Amino acid sequence: MPGSETLINALTTLLVTLDPPGLAPVFLALTVGMTRDQRKQVALRGSLIAFGILAVFALFGLAILNLLGISLGAFRIAGGLLLFWIAFEMIFEKRQERKEKTSEIAITKDHLHNLAVFPLALPLIAGPGAISATVLLAGSMKTTIEMVILILILAFAMALVYAALIVAERMDRFLGNTGRAILTRLLGVLLAALSVQFVVDGIRSAFALP
């Protein structure tokens, strides 16, 4: 059984990379003109699809890496660097701009058809950062029970994402621009520290260091 520190680390990593507060204003922009029930349907479908995508990577991500001849140590280093870049964007307010640009492009191209699939589930929720974090966390789970626990943690994190989308309008009004900026920066610092730890663990694994 994984320790409480491992579980907290896994949940924190997933929540920071999924970034529920950051998704709220983007979700509102994507669903302009929709009723509350329509928003709930889009949020539920998008969250379920994103959970399915991340669960597949949790279960089979390592097998895909082995098939491609990529060691877990190398992926930890690469994934850690990617997560650090996301943390950098969060701290300096670049990630929100990128998400908003993604939503604008999607509205133009798809006219809100299959909105839950693209861009909500992929890439806004299950983006490269969340996928990398999921594979990295799966690599630290050694037994079937630990993998099941990781899937449950992933489901819990996705439930929080769904809840954030449901209360997106209220959350956006409550946080405001200042509150959202402060929260995003705090989460960015946490993610930066976690990403550095992934790189350190990857270097130890790749070079067989103690």
Side-chain angles (χ1 to χ4, degrees):
M1 290 284 289
S4 58
E5 184 180 342
T6 303
L7 297 178
I8 293 172
N9 182 40
L11 181 60
T12 302
T13 303
L14 287 172
L15 286 179
V16 172
T17 50
L18 290 170
D19 188 20
L23 285 171
V26 180
F27 178 72
L28 289 177
L30 285 170
T31 55
V32 170
M34 290 188 180
T35 64
R36 182 170 297 179
D37 288 339
Q38 288 172 330
R39 279 180 171 165
K40 285 183 178 179
Q41 290 176 11
V42 172
L44 178 61
R45 189 179 178 205
S47 300
L48 289 174
I49 292 171
F51 170 74
I53 293 170
L54 295 179
V56 167
F57 274 96
L59 295 172
F60 304 109
L62 292 177
I64 294 172
L65 291 180
N66 291 332
L67 185 64
L68 296 174
I70 301 172
S71 70
L72 183 58
F75 189 82
R76 278 177 176 159
I77 295 171
L81 292 174
L82 175 61
L83 293 178
F84 186 83
W85 176 252
I86 292 175
F88 179 87
E89 288 186 327
M90 291 173 71
I91 293 170
F92 293 99
E93 291 190 329
K94 299 295 183 183
R95 195 182 188 202
Q96 193 67 22
E97 294 176 11
R98 178 164 50 80
K99 282 185 176 182
E100 288 170 359
K101 287 180 181 177
T102 302
S103 67
E104 289 170 4
I105 293 170
I107 290 173
T108 302
K109 288 184 176 180
D110 292 351
H111 305 289
L112 299 179
H113 292 302
N114 298 318
L115 179 63
V117 181
F118 179 84
L120 184 58
L122 189 72
L124 290 179
I125 300 177
I131 291 172
S132 299
T134 301
V135 176
L136 290 172
L137 292 171
S140 64
M141 303 298 170
K142 306 301 181 185
T143 66
T144 303
I145 293 177
E146 289 179 345
M147 187 60 72
V148 170
I149 291 174
L150 176 61
I151 297 297
L152 292 176
I153 291 174
L154 184 59
F156 178 70
M158 202 57 65
L160 292 180
V161 169
Y162 171 68
L165 297 182
I166 292 299
V167 298
E169 193 171 351
R170 294 179 184 176
M171 185 188 299
D172 196 50
R173 284 201 304 264
F174 175 75
L175 289 176
N177 292 332
T178 303
R180 196 162 55 244
I182 292 172
L183 183 59
T184 299
R185 282 179 168 82
L186 287 174
L187 293 175
V189 172
L190 282 175
L191 182 59
L194 289 168
S195 64
V196 170
Q197 187 61 54
F198 278 133
V199 173
V200 171
D201 293 341
I203 292 172
R204 284 177 179 167
S205 176
F207 295 98
L209 299 175

